[in-house]
Amino acid sequence: MAKTLSKSSAGKSPADKNAPENPGRRDFIVVASYAMGAVGAAAFAWPVINQMNPAADTLALASIEVDVSKISEGQSITIKWRGKPVFIRHRTAAEIAAADEVDLAGLRDPETDEGRVARPEFLVVLGVCTHLGCVPLGQKVGEVRGEYDGWFCPCHGSHYDSSGRIRKGPAPTNLEVPPYEFTSDAVIRIG
Amino acid sequence: MSAKQFSNPVVRWIDHRLPVFSFLDHELHEYPTPKNLNYFWNFGSLAGITLVIMIVTGIVLAMSYTPHVDHAFDSVERIMRDVNHGWLLRYIHMNGASFFFIVVYIHIFRGLYYGSYKAPRELLWMLGVVILLLMMATAFMGYVLPWGQMSFWGATVITNLFSAIPLVGDSIVTLLWGGFSVDNPTLNRFFALHYLMPFLIAGVVILHIIALHRFGSNNPIGIDASGPQDTVPFHPYYTIKDFFGLSVFLSLFAAAVFFFPNFMGHPDNYIPADPMQTPAHIVPEWYFLPFYAILRAVPDKLGGVLAMFGAIAVLFVLPWLDRSPVRSARFRPAFKIFFWLFAIDCVVLGYLGGQPAEGIYVVLSRVATVWYFLHFLVFLPLLSVFETPRPLPQSISSPVLGGGAALAGAAANAAKEKV
């Protein structure tokens, strides 16, 4: 900059008599100015970009509480959490047993059933197929549950078992278990 | 355009095929600029930067705004409370509109004082007036979007102006509204147009700059540069001057955004729009007040509307009303007095536009309105004939270096030899 400055003004104007005695000092001012300009631009860019992140009211809805005591054995409910369906199934003893007996060696995404539940009778998973995001069938009475008595994704044919683990089809991983905890015997808080 | 040799081979390769770097070098670097420009010449670039700030903040605000009568007000409140930095973006956008007009009004008065509208810059000036009109329309429609009481009643009053047009007035108003009153269709289309118009402004700004660079900037003396000794390259001399002015401007802008964000607004606009209840005292934003005063000064519906639009239309023909060959007010003693009287008249009109339309205010508005039009239609044409301007310097350099142009040229040559 300092060099171009003295070059471009050379012979063009009387400003030449103000040519710097010590170009290093002028270089410092130029670099410092650019640096301050960059800091200013970044300080303006951050709010402009960050406003696209979830707003406070969106984040306030990021956790919900569900009363699971009304779900009778064998019944499933679907609730909406962060804009996505969450499957809560009150599993029967047979379903729990079936999920426990599975040989982990034969699974694509090996996880024990115990590791996927807080209490064995309630399975809580995101109702989003891990393949490409469709909602699997199997929640309502009469819907196809797939070959492993869990869920079946109609989009590309993924079969999930009664622990929500992928058993057959293109999906790479098990149905995701959202973070949740029992705040009392009857209520779980998701998120 | 001279083909410039760039040292960077990539730049050279691109420039040979797509001469953007030559273009930028020509228009922003070597572009010869009169060397005597004062700080009033900062306001063009300030206006351009403010336009960019308004477009950037406007686009991100639109990401969280809902153009629906049931949700618009709440979505703006959500921007203020919940959206990350939403308060900052909205206050920048809201105050940015005011600062845009401050900058542009100073820019316009700079042009009026130094005669920047005179030949050969008439089209440059007229494009500027087009930009002013587009800005006014954009600002008005933007003010409607928060759907507060002032938004609603401002929209009602301004759209009703068109009902003054004989025969087709009511049909035009219905067309603008998309219904029988200002309602959801009106809000929807205002949002669409408010989003569109800044880009139209940007387009006219480009034409404005093309017209400017045809003959270069006017200058405080108002005479043409007689040669290279009267100019300096735009970069770094005016880039650095513009950046210094910009940092002062942004400091003031930031002070308003952070400490007085609602100073130039109206508290009634934080009340949701109510079509059944007009606020007791309804005024437009400050930048419309002079024109609002002219509107109210005329005791006739159509006459008031014509006077208000005429106040801007007269600017279009200004280059042909002021026939004096001398541009700068520095050399026009009588014009200088009338310029300042006119400036005071505009401020007085602005004050009166904010007062209730009754008693002495109406009388004063009428006097000020008459003066406004007399200035353009009578004083300026007469001054062109009867005023004796002071002698002009022979060149831009001569008032600084003393003596005539020959001496200035010799000084420049001497400087050249020294190097």
Side-chain angles (χ1 to χ4, degrees), chain A residues 63-66 81 178-184 187-191:
Chain A
S63 73
I64 54 165
E65 297 199 331
V66 186
W81 172 72
Y180 71 94
E181 61 181 357
F182 280 84
T183 54
S184 73
V187 177
I188 59 171
R189 191 179 63 220
I190 305 176

Side-chain angles (χ1 to χ4, degrees), chain A residues 1 5 9 11 13 15-16 44 46-48 50-58, chain B residues 29 56-57 60 63-64 78 82-85 88-89 92 232 235-237 416 419:
Chain A
M1 261 298 291
L5 178 64
S9 58
S13 79
D16 284 330
F44 181 63
W46 174 239
V48 167
N50 190 40
Q51 55 84 24
M52 290 206 274
N53 272 320
D57 61 333
T58 310
Chain B
H29 187 171
V56 169
T57 52
V60 297
M63 292 180 186
S64 299
R78 179 173 172 272
D82 290 336
V83 173
N84 300 320
H85 303 103
L88 176 63
L89 296 165
I92 290 176
V232 288
H235 178 77
Y237 294 98
K416 224 178 262 179
V419 179

